[in-house]
Each structure stands twice: as structure tokens, then as C-alpha cells.
Amino acid sequence: MEGNKQVYRLQGLSCTNCAAKFEKNIRDIETVDDVQLNFGAAKLTVQGLVSVEQLEAAGAFDGIKVLPERSREPVKKEPFWKKRENITTSISLLFTIIGYVLYFSLSESHPVTIGAFLIAIVVGGLPLFKVGVKNLTKLQFDMKTLMTIAIIGAAIIGEWAEGAVVVFLFALSEALESYSMDKARQSIKSLMDIAPKRATIRRGNQTMEIDVEDVQIGDVLVIKPGQKIAMDGKVLTGQSSVNQAAITGESIPVHKTSGDEVFAGTINEEGSLEVRVTKRVEDTTIAKIIHLVEEAQAEKAPSQQFVDKFAKYYTPAIMIISFLVAVIPPLFFGGDWNNWIYSGLAVLVVGCPCALVVSTPVAIVTAIGNAARNGVLIKGGIHLEEAGRLETIAFDKTGTLTEGKPEVTDIVTFADKSETEMVSIATAIEEYSQHPLATAIKRKAIRLQAIEYQAENFLSYTGKGAKATVQGEEYFIGNPALFSEMLTIDNEAQDRINQLQIEGKTVMLLGTNHELLGLIAVADQIRKSSKSIIQKLHKLGIKQTVMLTGDNQSTGVAIGSSLGLSEVKAELLPEDKLTIINGLKAKHGHVAMVGDGINDAPALATANVGIAMGGAGTDVALETADIALMADDLEKLPYMISLSRKTLTIIKQNISFALALKVLALLLVIPGWLTLWIAIFADMGATLIVVLNSMRLIKKGAV
């Protein structure tokens, strides 16, 4: 069935109800096996044999345009005032104004006045009536059905003026909803425009420009200064600064040279580069980001699920209340039929769940788009909401709070050897070792411009160290345990070793089998930004910050106290991290785990929110985590927590406000003050405020 799967982009998809109807119409096509419509991303996936014409016919009721996903057809940007529905709304407003001029100059019941209002109702409400009447015949009750009943009812009881105003305000409310969703969808469209559609490649002696779809793995990209990189790959020749802001959110360009990884959509700033392509266009990091952002928008957040369930029962309840308001007072209390039918219609209008329905999706879509543009990939509304509720964050140490790259911090000599001489000997012994500590010594040797000695008769002592003959003398390098077996370490040296270990450093001794020459201390360097990030998180209301590390207790405590962490758990195996995350969840509730996404995968999956760092470089991080910080840096963590909290606040404000306004308007029925005017203003006003409130999340500096 996979061979018949086709993906399309949609234009003109105006509301959630239209999306549901469009999906149902496609499902009814005989040759279609399955269909998935993602409203937030305006994306359609169809399984089965179907043509674009058939799909457009299924969406003709809403003027939906269907484009194949890889279509080269440019997206036509229509100005707001040129859209068909906005033109009809404007004409409806014009005739409503003319009607009111006639209302005051002639009379309410004059045929010309009624005619002006009737034109306003028909022009502004025709698309609404078509759908509403069809739904009514099928006993499907949505917003358009409710509005159709209300407007027809207003006409029957002679309330032409109010019927026209209701049509205009409803059309205006729909136009605003459509506009807000379009703005939210722009966050995805802007991501899709990041990577170039064509690439310059060299095959043999030929240089050519081709579509990115035709680029093959192994092709060599030629990238000039100022150009965007079209595909993911590794630098073959050249060096340059590359602006990776589009992928990682980092504002400072990263220096790239031979062997370094580059990503599609990033900008080559200075030098020329030749890059060997490592991924096909659909597998590039930016393609994965777009796919995951779209999937995130399709997944409903808990508050959205609540709203959907609520609206399911709410609409029939409003219809019953409306009917009871219209018939009970005239039947049992001698009320005026006209007045109470009018009040019933007003209840119907005020009960429209427009504001409630848009309260969550606009906020979620906008926030996820904002985060993606800032180098944070949030894989669903549920994770966005969970992040907003966090009180505890657990961090992996190596590569998260620290650089993950040990450096030599101290060189202490106990004999007549200089620091450079000691490092030269140590480097010669460690030449064949790939251990991180050995690599740190080699880096130090380069910086000190140490002498290049050759080592002979190398022998490794597993878990302790090594020995070799350098310049005719046998030297040992290793941990204190190795030397305590050969000679007595004096008190001065032992005190120094203890002090360095308390500071969280790993100590290696260098000497012969009868003399200790000195020691070299190595430590994983804390990231410069880690301390300020922990402080920002505490200010944002994160109560517990916990570090999880496999390092010894003294190293863990030293780093934890220097960073201002609440708690340190040291000497842990990967499975221990899992147990601790479960314990933190039981004790503190909502817990996030931050790691590199590889050895931390079980802990990331167990936490309420798994946050992986360096998502741009690792597929594992993108797959295992709920949220990926695309840069290999924690800088975006406070931003993400703040954005999540703001989104959660806005969703709560939207739902509370939409419901409160409805209840307030419905209470006006009791003294008989509820008019169609007030009803539609309550409905449209709530929708407008909810949309504008959600749009606060669209700005890049929203947090």
C-alpha cells in the first residue's frame, strides 16, 4: 500500500469543521483506502489511487486547492482584501450600512429597507447557508447549522436588521479565524523555504546546477561565499564560517573545515566549500524538522482534547437550552412568542463554540512554529503543555552541563623535570591510547609545543595505566593505585592528590618504579553558560535541578556545588538513571530529563518530557526525545520552558475567557436583555480576543 501513498499541500482550508468534512468526502471516494488530514500544517496524506481533480472536487464546498507536496507551483499569496470571502464580507457590511440608513430615513418594515438587509444576508451568508441547510437535513449540528437556524429565525420574526448584522459579524469572525491560522502556518512555510530548491554539484570534470531531488549521496556540492548549503554533507575541501541559525538557533556562525558536518539550509558566509552529500533531500535534518513539526501540530494537546470533547456535548446542550428558552415562557407563563423566539435565537448565536474551538490549536501551532524557528523542536502539543508544568529537571553531566571533552587543568612536578618535559614523556607513552584522558594530554602537548619523543616496549595495565621506555628510561603513567603498589607516596604528594580529587579532577601520576616525578590532573570542563542557565531555570520556577553522572561522588559534588544544582546523584550506571527518574516522578510530579539522546535514551523516554541536546547532529536525539535542542548547547532550555509556560497560560486564559463570556451572555436571558447584537458580539468578541491573545506567541522574541 506504501506505493500508493501521496502527500499534498492544501490552500484555502478555512476551519476545523471544513477540514473534517473535506476528510470525510475524500474517505467516501471508492479508490481511497485511508486519509489523514493535518489541519495545523494544511497537509493531506492519501493512501490509494486518486487524482488532484477528485480531491479538489471533494473540497469544492470550501474552495480548497490541492497541490502535490513536491509541486514547483508557487504558493499564490492573496492580499487579505482580495480574498473572495473578505470581499463578500465587505459587500455585506456595505448593504447593512445602507439598510440602517434606510431604517432611520424610511422605516424598519419598508420593502426597500428589508431589500437592503436581505442583500446583506444573502451576499454575506450564502456559503454559510449552503453548508448549514445541508447539515440540517443530515441532522449534523455545527456552528454553521446554529447560525443558519438563527438567521432564518430572525427573518421569520421580521428581525431583518439583526439578521444582517449577525451574518456580517459571523463572516468577519470566520475571516479572522482563517487569517490567524494562515499566520500560524507561515511558521512551517518559512521552514520549508529555508533550504534551496537547486544545488550546484560537480560530477567528474563537469559542474552543473540541478534540482535537489536529483542530487545523489556521494555527489560533491560546490558552495560559494554567501550561498545557502542545499544538502546535508561533510566538508571535503575549504574552510568557512557557516551560519547555522536556521537549524540550531545559534546566532554565532560556526567554523567548518575538512571533515566537519554541514546542514541543508545553513549559510556559507566567507570561504568556498566543497561538500560530499551524505543524505538524500527527504532525509536532511531540515526535512526531518519540517516533518516532525507538522506531526507535532497533528497531535492534539490535552487541553485541545478537552475542548473537542466539551464541544461535542456543548453544541446539543445549547440547542436544547435555546429551544426551551423559546417555548417554555410563552407556553407556561403567557410570554410573548415573538420576544421569546427572539431570545431563543440569541441563545443559539451566543452558544456558538467558535472561540472555544480555536482557543487551543492557534496557540499550540504558533508556539511550535516559534520554537522551530529558534532551534527548538517540540514534537507535539502534549509535550509543549507538559514542559509548561515542569518543576524538576534532571541533567546528564557529560556533554550536557560539561563540554564532554576533558582538559589538563594542573601539572605538578616533584622532581627536577619541567612541565613541558613531563607532558612530552606522558604524550609518548599515551601515543597509542584512544582514552579521553590520553587525548587531553595530547592536546596539552600541542599547546605547550612539547618535544616529540618515541616510546618503546609499551605495556598497558587495564584500569590502572601504562608503562613504556622513553629516551632509554622506563616510565609509568597511571592512577595512584598503580604507584602505591611500586613505591611509597609521601604525605605532600598524597595531600595534593586528595585536594585535586576533592575538586572533581582525575589525577594521573608520572614516574619510574622508584621515583614519583609529578602528577597531571584532568577534568571535564563545565560549559561557560551552565551556571547562568541553572540560575535562569530556578527564576522560572523550576524547584529541583538534579545532576545524574557516572563519575565518582567527589567529582559530582564539586561540579554540582559550583553550578548551584539542588541535588547530585553520582556513580550511576545507565539503568540507575532510569530508577532515579522514576523516583523523582513519584516525589516531585512532572520531571524532565536532559541528555545527549544516545546513552540517555531510556531515561529520556521515562521522564514526562525527554529533552535531547544537539538534535542537529544526531538522528537518535530527534527520534528518542520529546523536545530536541538543535544546538549542542543548553542556552535554549530556559527559552523553551518560558515559551511552554506562556503557551499554557494563554491556553488557560483563552478557554476561561471563552466560557466566561458565554455564561455571562446567557445570564442576560433571565432579565430579557440578551439581544442578537449582544449575542454575536459576545461570540465574535471572544473569538477575536482568543485569536489575538494566541498571536502573542508568534513573535520571535515572545519570551
Side-chain angles (χ1 to χ4, degrees), residues 254-470:
V254 180
H255 185 74
K256 300 283 183 180
T257 185
S258 182
D260 288 342
E261 200 171 7
V262 292
F263 307 109
T266 58
I267 301 165
N268 177 30
E269 297 209 329
E270 318 168 324
S272 293
L273 293 175
E274 288 197 359
V275 171
R276 187 173 298 286
V277 175
T278 55
K279 290 179 184 173
R280 293 177 58 78
V281 66
E282 60 269 23
D283 299 325
T284 61
T285 302
I286 188 68
K288 280 184 180 156
I289 293 171
I290 293 163
H291 175 71
L292 290 168
V293 169
E294 289 175 339
E295 293 308 303
Q297 296 187 352
E299 185 187 343
K300 290 192 175 175
S303 53
Q304 195 171 340
Q305 290 170 347
F306 157 74
V307 166
D308 288 349
K309 279 181 191 165
F310 186 82
K312 199 172 163 186
Y313 300 107
Y314 171 84
T315 305
I318 285 292
M319 292 199 70
I320 292 164
I321 292 167
S322 168
F323 177 74
L324 296 176
V325 166
V327 301
I328 286 177
L331 279 178
F332 299 104
F333 304 105
D336 177 67
W337 277 101
N338 259 21
N339 286 347
W340 285 103
I341 287 172
Y342 176 86
S343 291
L345 293 173
V347 168
L348 209 56
V349 172
V350 83
C352 269
C354 287
L356 205 56
V357 169
V358 299
S359 61
T360 307
V362 178
I364 294 280
V365 169
T366 307
I368 287 173
N370 181 334
R373 290 198 312 278
N374 278 281
V376 178
L377 189 58
I378 301 171
K379 287 165 66 174
I382 185 167
H383 309 306
L384 184 71
E385 288 196 17
E386 278 286 350
R389 297 189 183 97
L390 289 174
E391 291 188 353
T392 302
I393 299 181
F395 297 89
D396 170 48
K397 177 187 78 80
T398 309
T400 302
L401 294 170
T402 66
E403 297 283 359
K405 202 164 70 173
E407 294 292 346
V408 172
T409 56
D410 302 82
I411 301 170
V412 180
T413 62
F414 300 128
D416 57 355
K417 300 273 188 203
S418 68
E419 286 188 7
T420 307
E421 177 75 3
M422 276 186 59
V423 171
S424 301
I425 296 166
T427 306
I429 303 170
E430 298 284 18
E431 182 60 40
Y432 305 104
S433 173
Q434 296 303 315
H435 193 279
L437 300 180
T439 310
I441 291 171
K442 289 177 204 171
R443 279 198 297 270
K444 184 69 173 176
I446 293 165
R447 283 196 290 274
L448 287 176
Q449 296 179 325
I451 307 155
E452 287 189 31
Y453 290 140
Q454 293 298 314
E456 296 169 341
N457 307 322
F458 175 83
L459 180 66
S460 172
Y461 297 95
T462 307
K464 290 183 181 177
K467 75 169 181 177
T469 304
V470 181

Side-chain angles (χ1 to χ4, degrees), residues 606-637:
T606 305
N608 299 89
V609 183
I611 303 168
M613 284 180 54
T618 60
D619 291 343
V620 179
L622 288 176
E623 285 159 20
T624 57
D626 304 316
I627 296 171
L629 308 178
M630 302 305 288
D632 189 22
D633 194 349
L634 278 177
E635 282 287 357
K636 297 290 177 186
L637 186 59

Side-chain angles (χ1 to χ4, degrees), residues 511-581:
T512 64
N513 59 5
H514 59 273
E515 184 187 15
L516 183 62
L517 298 175
L519 60 84
I520 299 170
V522 175
D524 187 2
Q525 298 301 291
I526 295 170
R527 289 180 189 262
K528 291 184 181 73
S529 58
S530 290
K531 188 171 184 178
S532 67
I533 286 162
I534 299 297
Q535 287 169 346
K536 283 178 191 172
L537 290 173
H538 284 154
K539 277 181 193 165
L540 281 168
I542 300 295
K543 291 172 185 166
Q544 287 284 114
T545 48
V546 184
M547 183 175 81
L548 311 180
T549 178
D551 266 355
N552 62 59
Q553 189 70 30
S554 57
T555 303
V557 169
I559 292 172
S561 59
S562 70
L563 290 177
L565 294 163
S566 317
E567 203 176 339
V568 172
K569 304 278 188 185
E571 299 175 13
L572 304 175
L573 296 168
E575 54 267 32
D576 298 333
K577 291 183 182 181
L578 202 65
T579 310
I580 286 167
I581 292 290

